[in-house]
Structure formats: structure tokens, C-alpha cells
Amino acid sequence: MAGGITETGEPYSPFVGLVYMFNLIVGTGALTMPKAFAAAGWAVSIALISFLGFMSYMTTTFVIEAMASANAQLRWKRREQDEVADSDSTSEYSDDDIMGRGRSEPETRPILSVQRSGGHVDHFDIVERVEMGQMASMFFNKVGVNMFYICIIVYLYGDLAIYAAAVPISLMEVACGNHSCSAGSVKYNDTDPCWGPVTRKDAYRVFLSIFTVLLGPFTFFNAQKTKYLQILTSLMRWLAFTMMIILALIRIGKGTGEGHPPAASLSGAPNLFGVCVYSFMCQHSLPSLVTPISDKKHVGKLVFADYVLILGFYVLLSFTAIFCFDSSLLYDMYTLNFTDNCDVLNIPFLRYFLGLFPVFTISTNFPIIAVTLRNNWKTLFHRDGGTYPWVVDRVVFPLITLVPPIVVAFCTHNLESLVGITGAYAGTGIQYVVPACLVFFSRRHLEPVMGRDAVNKHRSPFRHSCWVWFVWLWAVSCIMFVTANIILTDTKK
């Protein structure tokens, strides 16, 4: 996320790109969605998630258009350098200009004027992976770039806090839960005993400490998810999701479902908003996802198909959950509803598998997100390629990356609230504000140099500037609405 222009990676087909994007979007947020659906009501939930899915799709097309614009600018800069080099002149332009902190002033020389004679070259082909931070450096001014990095850092902190809480919660529920077949209607409190005098809250903090000791050190090094580990975690994820949907459908089909959710409960809408925004998040990873696709001719249709499939999956998972289980008994982490209810699943091994599956998948992601956050911190303070003192680079940055989310996880393990707040604030910035700003300023930046005849073939179908203003207005309205709801809720307490 913090990087600039990088290798595109091994190319893959559009279908593989569709699968990768599906796997990227559908993650931890999906497991917190059923409880949020039950709290907001089924009618409100389906209306809100459909609209938010549409908004996320729109801003995804904004990011893809900005990626094409960034490629056009880079290609134009290089061609102009070649032209000047051929005429033995000194170029005023270099890639260093683009890599700088601020936005360079729009050029006035038409982009087509520096195209060499020969075959037609589409300047808007997405052939180089230009990460979001690099696009911000190309199209934003200094303040805008800093605001972008602050926003992505806050979002990643929320991500790490969610991961740091989710794993110990799953371990606590499996270790402390009553796994007899009569436990499905029992709702435990943090003060209930786990092992003798040790309460469930104490057990949660013990597991969190173990989690920190085992995975925290990876923050001090570089970590990446290998291909085979990614395949394994994806298979586990889809096996678990498929099992939960089928088991819930079987119970509902037998007429033994316990869920009777209301059609509408507006008090649950603000938190559902945050959960849905978090669950549709992919904009920050689009450069790594879209650039390697071998044939980008129909990338717009590919993205649309992905969003339709993901929306259908979220609705299916959440609706089967809220009609299968009593709303008051739904856990923040939906997988835990299957660990102590033999009416739904009476095979002990599979109950433990569903209960522990988030532990394996989330634990593999935590070091990757931590290293990404650490690198963003470095880039925020030092984007000119300089180096830090050893202590700052190897100790200070890893510590400021690791400590805050662990402290938050020690203070609270309310996953629904963590996901909701992360999505409602930082998620709104990354999913709405930043993409709208990127497409708006990239159009303004390239308009003087593209010429009237140059057309961005990856231009968003929402090309009118009114859509950009609508996204900004929606983002501001949502933040105000969620903030007002939090204040009013705290006042009532």
C-alpha cells in the first residue's frame, strides 16, 4: 500500500482475477455480519447492504480509472524523456518528479505530441502496478498525501485490533464453552468461570498474551503470505462458509429455526453501516489485484460480476443465520454459534473446526497487515528514499505498529463494535473519500495533456463529476450520522 511502482507479478486470467477479488473482499467482516443484520432488521439490512455494495462498486471503478491515468502519466513522462534524449537536450521531467511528496503542476504539452511514430500505443493500458500511495503522490498535494497515509494507517490499526481480538475470542469460546448438546441456548458473561477461579475474561487475556508473543515478533521482520499458505487458508475459509450456510438451511428447512428477526430496527443501522463498509473493502488492494490480469478488456464487467456474487453471498450467509438462530444468541463471530449447538451440528470434530477456523486464517494475515502498517508509517515520515537509524527502523516503528491494537484488544473484545467503528470512519475514507479524490484530481491533472482525442478506455461508467460529489456528500453524511448515534447512545447510558 505504501509502495510505488512495482513488478506486476505473474499474469493470470480474468477468471482467476475474479476469484482473487472474491477472496480478498470476503473475510473477517462476513463473520460479524449476521449479528449486525439481526440488530438492524432484515428489510433495513438488505436495503442498506445493496446500496453500500453499489457505492463500493462505484468507487472501485474510480480507482481503476485512476490506475489507468497514472499509467498514462508515467508512460508520457518516459516518452518525453526519450524525445529529449534523442535531441541531446536536458529533460526537465523525470520519474523523481512523480515520486515527490507533492503534486506537480499540470503540464500543457499534449500527450499525443510526444508519441513516437509507428504503431498505435494506448497510453491508458494498465501495465505497471502503481499503488494507492503512489497515485496519491502523483495527483494530490502535500496535505492530501499526508491525509491519505493517516487514513490508511488508522484503517490498518483497526484491522489489527479486530484480528487481535478475534483469535483470542475463538480460543476462549472453544476452551471455556460448554460443548454439551444442551448449551445452545446459553449466553455466557465475561465474569463466568472458565477454569476454576479463572474467568472467561481472564482466559481471553491469557490467549491474547499468547497470540501477541507468538505473532508479535513478525512485526520486526518482513513477512509475506506464500502461495500455498494462501491456497490452504482459502480452502479452509470456503469449506467453513459452505458448511455454515448448508447447516443453517437444513435447520430452517426442518422448521426448527429459532430466528424471528424484525423487519426494521433503525437503532442497529449505524453499526450495520460500518460492518458493511468494512466487508466490501478492497479499494486499497486493487492495483495488486487488477494489474496482473492478462486481458483487461472486460475488467469492468468482471468487477461488476464480483460485486453481484459477493452481495448474494453476504445476503445468503446472513439471512440463513438470522432465521436459524435466536437473534439474542448470535455471537459477534458467527462461527461460534456452531460450537455449542448440537441441534445444528452434532459432530464434535466439525464443531471444533468451525470454532477454530478463524484462528488459523486470521493468524496468517496478522503479520502481513502488521508489516504493511509498519511500512506505511515509514513512508509517511520519509518518502524520499532515505534511511532511518537502526533503532528507529527496527525497534520504534515495529513497536508503534504492534502496541496500540494489542492495547485496544486488551480493553475490549466487542468485535461488532470494532468492525463497525473501523468501517464507519477509516473505512469510509479508504472506500469513498480517497477513490473519489483520486479520480477527480487525476482527471484534472491529465486533462491539459491528454488532448481532446485521447480517451481513457478504463474510465468509470460513473464519469460525470456529480457522482464524485455524491460520494463525498454520502461519506460526510455517514460519518456525521454514525458519530451522532454514538454520542446519543452514550448519553442514554
Side-chain angles (χ1 to χ4, degrees):
M1 295 175 196
I5 307 160
T6 57
E7 296 293 332
T8 60
E10 184 179 347
Y12 43 73
S13 68
F15 176 77
V16 173
L18 183 143
V19 174
Y20 281 174
M21 187 172 184
F22 197 102
N23 283 336
L24 172 71
I25 297 177
V26 178
T28 311
L31 298 178
T32 64
M33 197 171 282
K35 186 174 181 180
F37 261 60
W42 62 266
V44 170
S45 297
I46 195 169
L48 186 58
I49 193 174
S50 299
F51 180 72
L52 292 178
F54 164 75
M55 293 294 292
S56 181
Y57 165 70
M58 185 196 306
T59 56
T60 296
T61 64
F62 285 170
V63 175
I64 293 174
E65 178 181 335
M67 288 166 55
S69 297
N71 270 260
Q73 176 158 320
L74 291 171
R75 192 172 288 113
W76 170 56
K77 291 284 187 180
R78 292 196 183 101
R79 286 184 174 276
E80 188 171 65
Q81 285 179 329
D82 291 343
E83 289 286 333
V84 175
D86 289 345
S87 61
D88 296 322
S89 299
T90 303
S91 174
E92 295 180 358
Y93 308 100
S94 69
D95 285 343
D96 291 334
D97 294 328
I98 305 172
M99 296 288 288
R101 291 172 64 94
R103 184 183 73 233
S104 57
E105 292 300 318
E107 314 293 349
T108 56
R109 188 179 180 187
I111 191 169
L112 296 180
S113 69
V114 295
Q115 181 171 318
R116 292 183 181 277
S117 59
H120 172 71
V121 176
D122 192 329
H123 289 271
F124 293 96
D125 275 337
I126 302 175
V127 295
E128 292 187 77
R129 190 172 76 197
V130 187
E131 298 290 355
M132 234 179 171
Q134 179 64 12
M135 287 189 281
S137 296
M138 293 171 70
F139 302 128
F140 296 169
N141 58 22
K142 181 179 177 180
V143 174
V145 174
N146 288 334
M147 291 301 295
F148 164 78
Y149 278 102
I150 291 172
C151 190
I152 195 73
I153 284 170
V154 172
Y155 173 77
L156 291 175
Y157 268 132
D159 237 2
L160 289 179
I162 291 165
Y163 287 2
V167 171
I169 285 175
S170 297
L171 291 171
M172 177 195 70
E173 292 294 346
V174 171
C176 305
N178 178 5
H179 300 292
S180 68
C181 290
S182 61
S185 59
V186 178
K187 192 74 172 180
Y188 295 103
N189 296 317
D190 287 345
T191 55
D192 290 338
C194 178
W195 313 303
V198 179
T199 65
R200 290 168 60 85
K201 189 173 185 178
D202 293 334
Y204 165 80
R205 288 179 172 174
V206 169
F207 285 124
L208 177 57
S209 300
I210 296 172
F211 175 85
T212 304
V213 170
L214 292 179
L215 294 180
F218 285 99
T219 310
F220 294 81
F221 308 100
N222 289 321
Q224 62 181 3
K225 199 170 185 179
T226 66
K227 176 181 179 181
Y228 298 107
L229 187 59
Q230 186 173 4
I231 292 173
L232 177 61
T233 54
S234 295
L235 288 176
M236 289 181 63
R237 178 192 306 164
W238 289 112
L239 178 60
F241 279 133
T242 304
M243 283 176 57
M244 289 187 289
I245 290 173
I246 292 175
L247 290 169
L249 283 172
I250 291 174
R251 191 184 195 195
I252 295 171
K254 290 180 178 178
T256 57
E258 299 175 350
H260 302 285
S265 177
L266 295 180
S267 60
N271 194 64
L272 176 65
F273 164 76
V275 171
C276 290
V277 169
Y278 183 82
S279 300
F280 277 113
M281 184 67 67
C282 71
Q283 284 76 5
H284 56 297
S285 298
L286 281 174
S288 301
L289 203 65
V290 172
T291 307
I293 295 177
S294 56
D295 182 6
K296 302 180 185 68
K297 183 178 180 181
H298 302 294
V299 69
K301 295 178 181 178
L302 173 81
V303 171
F304 179 77
D306 243 326
Y307 269 91
V308 171
L309 289 172
I310 291 165
L311 177 62
F313 171 78
Y314 282 160
V315 170
L316 180 61
L317 177 71
S318 300
F319 267 58
T320 54
I322 63 177
F323 286 100
C324 177
F325 296 100
D326 188 329
S327 298
S328 64
L329 299 176
L330 279 170
Y331 286 92
D332 289 346
M333 186 74 72
Y334 178 48
T335 50
L336 299 174
N337 281 94
F338 296 86
T339 62
D340 57 6
N341 196 320
C342 292
D343 291 337
V344 182
L345 181 60
N346 59 6
I347 303 174
F349 171 77
L350 294 181
R351 298 204 330 253
Y352 279 106
F353 168 75
L354 287 177
L356 292 174
F357 127 81
V359 174
F360 302 116
T361 56
I362 292 174
S363 295
T364 59
N365 285 334
F366 185 88
I368 314 300
I369 302 298
V371 170
T372 302
L373 174 55
R374 183 198 68 193
N375 292 339
N376 274 277
W377 268 120
K378 292 181 181 180
T379 308
L380 175 63
F381 291 110
H382 223 334
R383 284 192 293 276
D384 57 3
T387 58
Y388 293 97
W390 185 90
V391 173
V392 175
D393 185 59
R394 296 299 182 91
V395 179
V396 175
F397 279 120
L399 284 178
I400 64 174
T401 296
L402 183 62
V403 172
I406 297 300
V407 170
V408 170
F410 262 101
C411 295
T412 180
H413 57 77
N414 188 331
L415 273 182
E416 189 182 19
S417 295
L418 284 175
V419 172
I421 292 173
T422 301
Y425 290 100
T428 296
I430 298 299
Q431 190 167 140
Y432 299 144
V433 179
V434 171
C437 289
L438 281 175
V439 77
F440 181 80
F441 287 111
S442 67
R443 290 171 182 174
R444 288 185 58 182
H445 195 72
L446 288 184
E447 187 174 353
V449 300
M450 286 192 304
R452 296 291 181 181
D453 298 329
V455 178
N456 188 340
K457 66 180 180 182
H458 294 294
R459 190 169 189 179
S460 169
F462 309 96
R463 60 193 62 184
H464 199 283
S465 59
C466 289
W467 287 109
V468 175
W469 286 100
F470 173 69
V471 171
W472 284 335
L473 180 63
W474 166 251
V476 172
S477 301
C478 288
I479 291 175
M480 293 174 60
F481 175 60
V482 171
T483 303
N485 179 75
I486 292 174
I487 294 173
L488 291 174
T489 301
D490 289 342
T491 303
K492 290 178 182 179
K493 292 179 181 179

